Amino acid sequence: MFTGIIEDIGKITNITRQPNCMVLTISSQKMLEDINLGDSIAVNGVCLTVVSFTDRCFTVDVMPETVKATNIETLQIGSPVNLERAMSAAGRFGGHIVSGHVDGIGKIIRKQKSSNAVYYDIAIKEELSRYCIPKGSITIDGISLTIFGLKDNQLTISIIPHTLEHTVLGFKKENDFVNIENDLIGKYIIHHLDRNSGNKSSISMEFLQQHGF
């Protein structure tokens, strides 16, 4: 599990592209301070497993389903990436519950500075927007953020200078793609309601009155 608080901006140093899958090598001194084979690291919000490492970089495999569902295929050698190690039991919960399982991608359609903030309008598919609520949590390229505005299949986020400086959002521009992970709790609630929408509830006004409500 992750929290969406980015620890470091890494850099892609090598990419091995195979049919429908990839192998990425990423440099990051911060990640190498405490790393082991099999560790989970979120790369732009995608939970990936460390398969090897040196004193300067680590390597992860990217399976076909991840290539199809995320923006990882757009990465090039030299691309900056957001990095976060899996949360330790003794760590601070600074963001929100992030699984590292990306639901889909969004497209930045507007980037506009306003005072000390920068607004990003991001277009998303309808199946993603149904999980979004104003002031709700969302993960964008692995960053825990709050939905500032929501209209149709478009959401707006407001980014402070610290986030711009310490995440890859500072490098993003209009028409770039970002990974989207919807709020996990919201997904569970809607899934439960969808599955039980045809079942008649045993709770009625008469039941509530009989039990003191």
Side-chain angles (χ1 to χ4, degrees):
M1 187 182 76
F2 306 93
T3 69
I5 304 300
I6 304 304
E7 295 185 88
D8 194 20
I9 297 179
K11 181 179 289 188
I12 302 295
T13 59
N14 190 65
I15 301 176
T16 301
R17 299 183 187 273
Q18 302 171 358
N20 303 318
C21 64
M22 302 166 65
V23 179
L24 303 177
T25 301
I26 304 168
S27 64
S28 167
Q29 196 58 48
K30 180 71 173 179
M31 297 298 103
L32 297 172
E33 291 174 359
D34 178 22
I35 193 170
N36 296 283
L37 291 179
D39 280 356
S40 295
I41 296 180
V43 180
N44 279 356
V46 183
C47 180
L48 298 173
T49 301
V50 176
V51 296
S52 66
F53 63 90
T54 68
D55 59 348
R56 293 193 299 177
C57 56
F58 66 94
T59 299
V60 294
D61 288 327
V62 185
M63 63 181 181
E65 184 60 33
T66 303
V67 173
K68 289 189 296 183
T70 72
N71 67 2
I72 276 188
E73 195 172 25
T74 66
L75 294 175
Q76 303 293 329
I77 292 177
S79 293
V81 287
N82 288 328
L83 299 175
E84 181 191 357
R85 291 169 291 188
M87 181 184 177
S88 68
R92 285 181 178 271
F93 205 120
H96 71 282
I97 299 173
V98 177
S99 68
H101 301 151
V102 171
D103 295 304
I105 59 174
K107 183 178 182 180
I108 298 172
I109 57 176
R110 183 180 72 104
K111 179 180 179 181
Q112 180 176 331
K113 184 174 177 57
S114 177
S115 189
N116 68 337
V118 176
Y119 293 153
Y120 289 76
D121 290 340
I122 301 173
I124 57 177
K125 292 183 178 180
E126 184 175 356
E127 57 261 34
L128 299 184
S129 66
R130 71 190 298 260
Y131 299 107
C132 298
I133 61 171
K135 304 299 187 290
S137 296
I138 195 164
T139 308
I140 297 178
D141 272 352
I143 310 164
S144 174
L145 295 167
T146 300
I147 297 172
F148 182 77
L150 187 63
K151 182 179 180 181
D152 299 326
N153 297 326
Q154 176 182 307
L155 61 88
T156 300
I157 53 173
S158 178
I159 306 300
I160 62 174
H162 178 86
T163 304
L164 285 173
E165 182 179 353
H166 293 93
T167 73
V168 300
L169 270 182
F171 302 100
K172 295 283 186 175
K173 56 187 184 299
E174 292 179 3
N175 296 316
D176 281 349
F177 293 97
V178 291
N179 291 323
I180 303 289
E181 180 185 334
N182 291 111
D183 180 62
L184 186 63
I185 295 174
K187 288 190 290 186
Y188 273 118
I189 291 172
I190 290 178
H191 179 70
H192 174 76
L193 292 174
D194 286 346
R195 289 190 64 183
N196 292 278
S197 60
N199 298 330
K200 185 176 181 180
S201 175
S202 60
I203 299 176
S204 63
M205 287 301 298
E206 182 181 359
F207 175 90
L208 293 173
Q209 290 170 356
Q210 290 175 351
H211 290 81
F213 291 95

